[in-house]
Amino acid sequence: MSGIEIAFGSIVLMLVLIYAGMHVAVALTLLSFVGVWLLRDNFNVASNMLVLAFKDTISEYLFGVVPLFVLMGLLVSVAGIGRDTFEVAAHVFRKVLGGLGIATVAANAVFAAITGISIASAAVFTKVAVPEMIRHGYRPRFAVGVVAGSSVLGMLIPPSLLFILYGVLTEQSVGELFIAGIIPGIILSLVYCIGIMLMGRLAPSFIGDARSAANDLPEMGFGEMVSKISPIILLVALVLGGIYGGIFTPTEAGAAGALGALVISLAKRRLSLASFWQVLVQTGHTTSSICFLIMGASLYSRMLAMSGMPGWLGSYVVESGFGVTGIVIALLIVIMLLGTVLDSASIMLLTLPVALPILLGTDVNLIWLGVLTILAVEIGLLTPPFGIAVFVIKATLGTESTITLGEIFTGALPFAAMMLMVLAAVFIFPALATALL
């Protein structure tokens, strides 16, 4: 078999193994090892490459940011900052059409600025916002749909673990990627809010009692609002201010943010020894899962490079006359299709090693492409049959909830459509992602 045949055979076999239920990281590692063995016809070469790929990948300083941001996000969740933020937002928007839905979006956008994890946002606001919206007359499918849709802001508004992963895979500045996500993140939040108000006027049966019951919400003084929202403002200023001000590297900002979240949790007296241990264990689980995926992707990228497939594919695409526009559109379509069956990190780890060598020859702006990639990947979080954000919401609701998986997908559909609109806007107007750079 030629190198090209081995490479394409590995892609087909990978899809088969993943659909059969094998973990993506295991499939990447296994096929990379076998691929190098076949290419070099030497077991020792394949073994040595496996060891070197793992060692070189994990030893990079930048990867220290992963556990730090995960730890910060989980500490913020334990401290109840998400609940405090929602209560303030609900008070501010209590007299607006669809006010509690808009409050959920606003609170999630603020919460995203310190967590960077969509799953954490989905879990927190399922517990906080969904019961409140249902209690005030909103339809359950709309309540869970708002949470599902707004939870994806966690991966677009910096800091974002997906931007960190993209930066590592494409060797781009994580700080610049964070900056590039600010305007699209704000636009997506505003589009969600406008969409909720339009649904309240044009399709009131979809969301239920769109007019937030202002009289039912407890009064909140200015001082109480400040005390509830100040911790998250301080964390945002510490983390993002440190990065954009040139005081911290992203890794150092993650350490400062984790320390700040720990201090706030202790100050609020919401962190016990038991909950702190759970936070540490969950941080370890999440970090090891992400790092294992990255190591598998690194090994797979080396195997593909050794096979000569990226160069051959790049020449084929360039000679076919697709152009930059056609290549990027094709990549985004593939990402969104994979989003129906795979999680966000796995999609990036599967597509970028194949697409990047092609795109490097087209002078495409990789920072702009990063924002497009994150938007396309996050659409997959809301689409069946996988839709990881939807499954997280269902699991958080518990077995006693009468809300079905189908209702959550139905509620999230309008928000997936709005995200697609923002994706198209960033694609047509690249300055939306690059204006602040």
Side-chain angles (χ1 to χ4, degrees):
M1 294 176 66
S2 67
I4 305 299
E5 290 172 336
I6 291 172
F8 277 106
S10 72
I11 293 174
V12 174
L13 205 58
M14 183 183 304
L15 293 175
V16 172
L17 291 174
I18 291 171
Y19 273 105
M22 181 178 285
H23 193 280
V24 175
V26 176
L28 282 167
T29 305
L30 175 63
L31 292 174
S32 301
F33 177 79
V34 173
V36 173
W37 189 359
L38 292 174
L39 287 168
R40 291 291 181 262
D41 193 25
N42 190 313
F43 180 85
N44 291 329
V45 170
S47 301
N48 291 335
M49 186 172 179
L50 183 70
V51 173
L52 288 173
F54 280 11
K55 176 181 177 295
D56 293 345
T57 302
I58 293 303
S59 62
E60 291 185 22
Y61 168 76
L62 181 61
F63 282 111
V65 78
V66 175
L68 293 170
F69 274 120
V70 172
L71 177 61
M72 180 176 65
L74 293 174
L75 284 171
V76 163
S77 299
V78 169
I81 291 178
R83 177 181 295 276
D84 292 343
T85 307
F86 175 76
E87 289 175 355
V88 173
H91 179 77
V92 172
F93 295 105
R94 66 191 186 283
K95 294 184 179 180
V96 179
L97 185 66
L100 286 185
I102 295 173
T104 303
V105 173
N108 235 325
V110 176
F111 192 70
I114 52 170
T115 58
I117 311 172
S118 294
I119 294 175
S121 298
V124 168
F125 286 94
T126 298
K127 294 178 180 178
V128 172
V130 170
E132 280 296 302
M133 282 192 278
I134 293 176
R135 187 168 68 85
H136 283 90
Y138 289 76
R139 288 189 178 274
R141 67 181 178 186
F142 172 75
V144 292
V146 171
V147 172
S150 58
S151 69
V152 301
L153 294 169
M155 286 303 181
L156 188 59
I157 296 176
S160 160
L161 283 180
L162 282 191
F163 271 137
I164 294 170
L165 179 58
Y166 179 89
V168 170
L169 293 174
T170 60
E171 298 181 357
Q172 298 299 301
S173 166
V174 173
E176 288 187 2
L177 287 166
F178 282 176
I179 295 173
I182 293 175
I183 293 178
I186 293 173
I187 291 175
L188 183 59
S189 302
L190 293 175
V191 167
Y192 279 169
C193 294
I194 294 170
I196 290 171
M197 287 189 287
L198 289 176
M199 282 188 280
R201 291 188 181 278
L202 304 177
S205 61
F206 180 79
I207 71 173
D209 183 10
R211 295 191 179 277
S212 180
N215 296 330
D216 293 344
L217 290 171
E219 285 297 323
M220 187 180 297
F222 180 75
E224 186 181 358
M225 291 173 63
V226 171
S227 67
K228 284 180 177 289
I229 202 69
S230 56
I232 201 167
I233 293 176
L234 289 173
L235 268 182
V236 170
L238 176 65
V239 176
L240 298 187
I243 293 175
Y244 302 150
I247 302 172
F248 301 140
T249 66
T251 304
E252 292 167 346
L259 177 60
L262 178 60
V263 171
I264 290 172
S265 302
L266 293 173
K268 284 179 166 289
R269 298 182 180 179
R270 293 175 177 173
L271 184 67
S272 64
L273 283 175
S275 60
F276 185 54
W277 174 250
Q278 289 299 317
V279 164
L280 293 178
V281 170
Q282 194 171 347
T283 299
H285 287 169
T286 305
T287 302
S288 60
S289 177
I290 293 172
C291 288
F292 193 21
L293 281 166
I294 293 173
M295 288 188 294
S298 173
L299 184 59
Y300 191 65
S301 298
R302 297 184 185 205
M303 189 275 289
L304 289 179
M306 192 178 292
S307 72
M309 190 271 278
W312 175 87
L313 190 60
S315 300
Y316 175 80
V317 171
V318 172
E319 292 171 3
S320 65
F322 280 172
V324 177
T325 302
I327 296 171
V328 173
I329 290 175
L331 173 63
L332 296 178
I333 291 173
V334 169
I335 287 174
M336 285 186 281
L337 289 175
L338 287 175
T340 62
V341 292
L342 295 175
D343 64 276
S344 304
S346 300
I347 295 168
M348 293 174 62
L349 292 166
L350 287 174
T351 56
L352 290 177
V354 177
L356 190 61
I358 303 171
L359 294 167
L360 287 175
T362 62
D363 295 326
V364 67
N365 187 321
L366 292 181
I367 300 295
W368 168 70
L369 181 68
V371 175
L372 292 176
T373 300
I374 301 304
L375 280 166
V377 164
E378 292 298 283
I379 290 174
L381 287 181
L382 307 179
T383 52
F386 191 73
I388 189 170
V390 174
F391 281 91
V392 169
I393 290 171
K394 178 60 178 173
T396 306
L397 287 171
T399 55
E400 69 279 359
S401 174
T402 59
I403 301 175
T404 65
L405 209 57
E407 286 180 302
I408 304 176
F409 275 120
T410 302
L413 187 60
F415 297 94
M418 285 184 264
M419 184 175 288
L420 190 59
M421 291 168 51
V422 174
L423 172 64
V426 176
F427 179 82
I428 296 170
F429 305 106
L432 293 176
T434 59
L436 298 179
L437 298 177

